[in-house]
Amino acid sequence: MSQHKAQAIAPPASVRLGEPPVVATGMLEPAWIRTLLIATALLFLTLFLFVPLVAVFDLALKKGWQAYVAAIVEPDAVSAIKLTLLTAAIAVPLNLVFGVAAAWTIARFEFRGKNVLLTLIDLPFSVSPVISGLVYVLLFGAQSWFGPWLRDHDIKILFAVPGIVLATIFVTFPFVARELIPLMQAQGNEEEEAALVLGASGWRTFWHVTLPNIKWGLLYGVILCNARAMGEFGAVSVVSGHIRGETNTMPLQVEILYNEYNFSAAFAVASLLALLALVTLAIKSLIEWRLRAAQAHLDDPQAELAVPIGVVVPINKKA
């Protein structure tokens, strides 16, 4: 082959093995376009995120700290806060167990109906929360299938805490599972198989191998699930009955106060939900950073494989 032909088929310096590609300057957007796009995004966030957030705290504190604290410690508001925390304390752990079990099943096994299970997990994302609440009314209402039996046994689900918890569980159960499924599928099951070969039991393998690998994704899903559970309005509104001091959560309490033109108290309770959103956002950002760091470690070809069950398996780097 002639020298001219060899030069013609030789790869350019920018795509040779081991060298990063060089991006031509003509492919980059002009500076004024980048500035315009960034300014548009910042303007959108300012108008639809920062301004409403500032307005909530401004209206909540408009009458001073004393009025703000008085609105928070008012008996109905305290009852709404307690009910919201109780609902989240029940719904989030149950969704955590379901999410881990569903993610383990889908990521580790092949079975008939797997796609159906995935579709059912996504169901709350496609169904209106109001419709999901109405389903519980049709199931447990006075004229429903189970209504007469529940009435005869003096069991109250609708317009009580059990109905609120059930509705909250339904609208929040996809969050943990949907965070873990792609993570566990990407990690594979090689480490679990190595642990089992070394004599670890299934339970020990889960606690010492699987759980450390998915802990940041699990926390991410729990944070999102908890935020949705505390802020859910539609489904809870249908099944709660709006009984003041008994079945009103924080979002429902905000609606009632606002409809009564008690704006200061309404925005005071709303500010607690806003603070929850800010804390959730901060924790979410931290977990995302840890997830990126963990993914970078997994992608590092020089990283050593260790099975953390008390036995470390060294890699023979000379092989």
Side-chain angles (χ1 to χ4, degrees):
M1 183 181 292
S2 65
Q3 183 179 2
H4 177 71
K5 291 183 179 180
Q7 292 177 351
I9 64 174
S14 61
V15 296
R16 288 175 184 168
L17 185 62
E19 296 182 5
V22 178
V23 180
T25 56
M27 297 175 62
L28 298 177
E29 298 291 345
W32 69 270
I33 293 182
R34 298 198 302 270
T35 304
L36 179 62
L37 292 175
I38 294 173
T40 303
L42 291 177
L43 179 62
F44 185 88
L45 290 175
T46 301
L47 292 177
F48 295 98
L49 180 62
F50 297 126
V51 171
L53 188 62
V54 172
V56 168
F57 287 98
D58 178 66
L59 293 172
L61 298 172
K62 191 174 183 178
K63 295 184 178 181
W65 279 101
Q66 291 183 348
Y68 179 84
V69 174
I72 297 299
V73 300
E74 196 265 334
D76 289 344
V78 172
S79 175
I81 295 171
K82 290 181 179 179
L83 181 57
T84 301
L85 295 177
L86 175 64
T87 302
I90 298 174
V92 173
L94 292 177
N95 282 328
L96 186 150
V97 174
F98 167 79
V100 173
W104 182 285
T105 302
I106 292 173
R108 296 292 185 260
F109 304 104
E110 293 294 335
F111 55 92
R112 185 176 299 176
K114 182 175 180 178
N115 292 331
V116 176
L117 179 58
L118 281 170
T119 303
L120 292 177
I121 291 176
D122 291 336
L123 187 63
F125 289 144
S126 58
V127 175
S128 170
V130 175
I131 300 301
S132 63
L134 182 60
V135 169
Y136 285 105
V137 173
L138 297 176
L139 286 176
F140 304 115
Q143 307 300 325
S144 65
W145 295 343
F146 305 106
W149 184 88
L150 293 173
R151 184 176 59 254
D152 294 340
H153 292 79
D154 195 23
I155 299 175
K156 195 172 184 180
I157 294 181
L158 290 182
F159 314 137
V161 175
I164 296 174
V165 172
L166 287 174
T168 303
I169 290 174
F170 178 83
V171 299
T172 57
F173 76 77
F175 288 96
V176 176
R178 265 305 175 186
E179 290 298 325
L180 292 182
I181 289 172
L183 177 62
M184 296 181 70
Q185 287 176 335
Q187 289 177 346
N189 58 356
E190 290 81 5
E191 293 187 18
E192 285 91 346
E193 291 177 351
L196 294 174
V197 169
L198 291 172
S201 63
W203 190 248
R204 193 177 183 188
T205 300
F206 173 78
W207 279 107
H208 294 281
V209 179
T210 305
L211 190 59
N213 288 337
I214 65 173
K215 61 181 179 180
W216 293 113
L218 183 63
L219 286 175
Y220 188 82
V222 167
I223 291 298
L224 295 179
C225 179
N226 181 72
R228 177 63 187 274
M230 290 190 174
E232 175 55 32
F233 178 85
V236 173
S237 178
V238 175
V239 301
S240 69
H242 294 269
I243 305 174
R244 300 190 67 157
E246 295 184 18
T247 62
N248 278 338
T249 58
M250 291 172 65
L252 300 182
Q253 181 70 9
V254 172
E255 182 199 26
I256 289 177
L257 293 172
Y258 190 84
N259 290 336
E260 294 177 348
Y261 301 101
N262 192 352
F263 300 125
S264 178
F267 283 104
V269 179
S271 67
L272 296 180
L273 291 173
L275 286 174
L276 171 66
L278 293 176
V279 172
T280 301
L281 182 62
I283 299 176
K284 173 177 171 291
S285 300
L286 175 63
I287 294 177
E288 284 179 339
W289 174 75
R290 293 303 301 264
L291 277 172
R292 288 194 296 266
Q295 186 61 41
H297 178 73
L298 290 175
D299 294 339
D300 184 5
Q302 301 299 326
E304 293 187 353
L305 175 64
V307 182
I309 57 172
V311 180
V312 177
V313 182
I315 293 180
N316 185 3
K317 295 183 178 180
K318 295 182 180 180

